[in-house]
Amino acid sequence: MTKKWQPDDFPVGLYELHPDASVNFHMNVFYNWTNDNVLLEEMREVGKTAHNYETLIKRFIELGDESLKKDAKLRAAFYFRGAEFFYSTIKFTQAKFT
């Protein structure tokens, strides 16, 4: 049987996940694509301690590895995608402004 999607299956709004508006926006995008409440809570914790891109990337990779160990493959994929996104942001910024 095919699942019929309901409006409650999709999160609405933005959560305060990080003090930097751009990082907060993108973390919300990753959450909204998954609607995974475990991912949301883990990202809230990351947002409290990640004060630079390097730390954010490191934590996303660690959470991706932990998710794989728990067989949470979709969650892991979004953590790795998040790490890749922020890594490419750093490389672009360094290449352009350094």
Side-chain angles (χ1 to χ4, degrees):
M1 179 174 188
T2 303
K3 176 180 171 49
K4 183 173 180 175
W5 294 100
Q6 301 294 321
D8 289 343
D9 292 327
F10 301 96
V12 177
L14 290 175
Y15 293 89
E16 292 291 328
L17 301 177
H18 196 275
D20 180 274
S22 176
V23 172
N24 186 63
F25 173 79
H26 290 291
M27 288 174 76
N28 269 275
V29 168
F30 295 129
Y31 164 66
N32 286 329
W33 284 340
T34 65
N35 198 20
D36 180 337
N37 289 324
V38 172
L39 183 135
L40 178 63
E41 291 307 315
E42 290 174 344
M43 285 205 297
R44 279 189 170 130
E45 291 303 312
V46 169
K48 292 177 187 175
T49 60
H51 304 294
N52 56 52
Y53 284 117
E54 289 82 5
T55 304
L56 184 66
I57 292 164
K58 180 179 181 235
R59 286 297 295 133
F60 272 26
I61 291 170
E62 290 169 353
L63 287 168
D65 287 338
E66 291 171 19
S67 297
L68 281 177
K69 289 176 185 171
K70 297 175 184 173
D71 202 35
K73 293 175 186 166
L74 180 61
R75 187 179 311 136
F78 277 98
Y79 281 128
F80 293 137
R81 177 62 190 106
E84 178 186 38
F85 174 82
F86 289 114
Y87 180 78
S88 64
T89 300
I90 289 174
K91 286 302 179 188
F92 174 77
T93 303
Q94 289 175 346
K96 190 168 181 80
F97 299 111
T98 303

